[in-house]
Amino acid sequence: MPTKSRITRTLRIGLVGCGGIAEAHVDAYNQVSRARIVAVYDPRPTAARRFAADTGADVASSLKQMTADHQLDAVSICSPPGVHVENCLPFLKAGIAVLCEKPLAHNTPAAARIARAVKSTRTPFMVAFCHRFHPAVVALKKLMDRRVLGQPKLFRNIFASNLPMRGTHHAVPALSGGGCLLSNGCHSFDLFRFLIGRPTHVQAMTANITQKVPVEDLVLVHLNANNKAYAEISSSFSLAADNFIVEVRGTRGRAAIEYFNKDQPDLVYYLKGEPHGRIVDVSGQPNRFVGEVRHFLDALRAGARPSVTAEDGLIANRIAAACYKSAKEGRRIRL
């Protein structure tokens, strides 16, 4: 439950799920002040012991033991989305704040169940939509709020990488809920809502371009926000080189973000009538994982609600479900 007085002591953190994304959480907690990982849990004992050795934490024998014996203030849920319900609910019921990895769940009914539990328990909860905290996106949001680019009209986003799915939870629909559409697309849908507004219609196409697995490795999505703004979104787990791009075009200018490219500025924007772009330097800011963990813990200490809610996660799941329906039926879907 949120507290009325600010918490000043070191916060005790739990970690559920000791896979790849958990490493980003551990690194982020190590870079913020007054937070310590004290307990880890994973159904794979070897993975749990490795993270315990790296963090100095105890290995919990179960979620029940973790909630009861470690005096946790908060927990990061870094497990596959197919088990988010069973991993989140014990902590919500115990009043332990939850930072849950995206997507909120592997399907919409499961996401709705988590959202209902958050509402009924009133336990602090945040979905890890880390791209909201990418420094260049934070700077772009400020430009959008000031209407520097005018009215937004077109959002373009590419999240593409080479991620072999076979042999991982990504290739198991019961655990992942889908391929790149759900895994990456939930970030894209959240960014559109964060920067532009609420989409009203979707149209999507999915494919498997190289990977022979039961989930898609390529998706193309169009979003329509009540015929006032539009989005072109593409994502893949089967491209040779990572390519992460966010662009916004408005009535007065455009802005472009390119991740991980040392030859390009993090954020540059161009205004109508000006011959050169304006560079926004965000190089001194912490990475997006540190930003999201810091926001989560600051909200917990202040007894405030994190800015990224369970409802945001549920909406992303609903948009993804509509995209799958669109791809299957070959038509535009109204949200």
Side-chain angles (χ1 to χ4, degrees), residues 32 59 94 113 189 199 231 287 297 320 329 332:
V32 300
V59 175
R113 186 178 176 188
F189 307 146
N287 69 48
L297 296 181
E329 299 180 1
R332 189 173 77 157

Side-chain angles (χ1 to χ4, degrees), residues 6-12 33-35 71-73 301:
R6 186 172 182 86
I7 301 172
T8 58
R9 58 176 170 78
T10 296
L11 296 172
R12 296 172 62 84
S33 61
R34 293 179 291 121
Q71 298 178 310
L72 297 180
D73 295 295
R301 289 190 177 104

Side-chain angles (χ1 to χ4, degrees), residues 192-215:
F192 183 83
R193 292 181 60 243
F194 181 58
L195 295 172
I196 308 298
R198 183 177 67 89
T200 55
H201 299 81
V202 304
Q203 189 152 10
M205 177 177 68
T206 62
N208 287 78
I209 54 176
T210 63
Q211 299 191 51
K212 297 185 181 348
V213 292
V215 297

Side-chain angles (χ1 to χ4, degrees), residues 160-161 165 180 205-213 215-220 235-240:
S161 61
M165 290 184 280
C180 55
M205 177 177 68
T206 62
N208 287 78
I209 54 176
T210 63
Q211 299 191 51
K212 297 185 181 348
V213 292
V215 297
E216 74 285 347
D217 67 357
L218 175 74
V219 62
L220 305 174
S235 177
S236 178
F237 283 157
S238 293
L239 298 183

Side-chain angles (χ1 to χ4, degrees), residues 119-136:
K119 185 176 181 179
S120 64
T121 62
R122 300 179 63 194
T123 300
F125 187 94
M126 176 172 159
V127 181
F129 284 140
C130 61
H131 290 278
R132 287 199 192 194
F133 302 93
H134 182 57

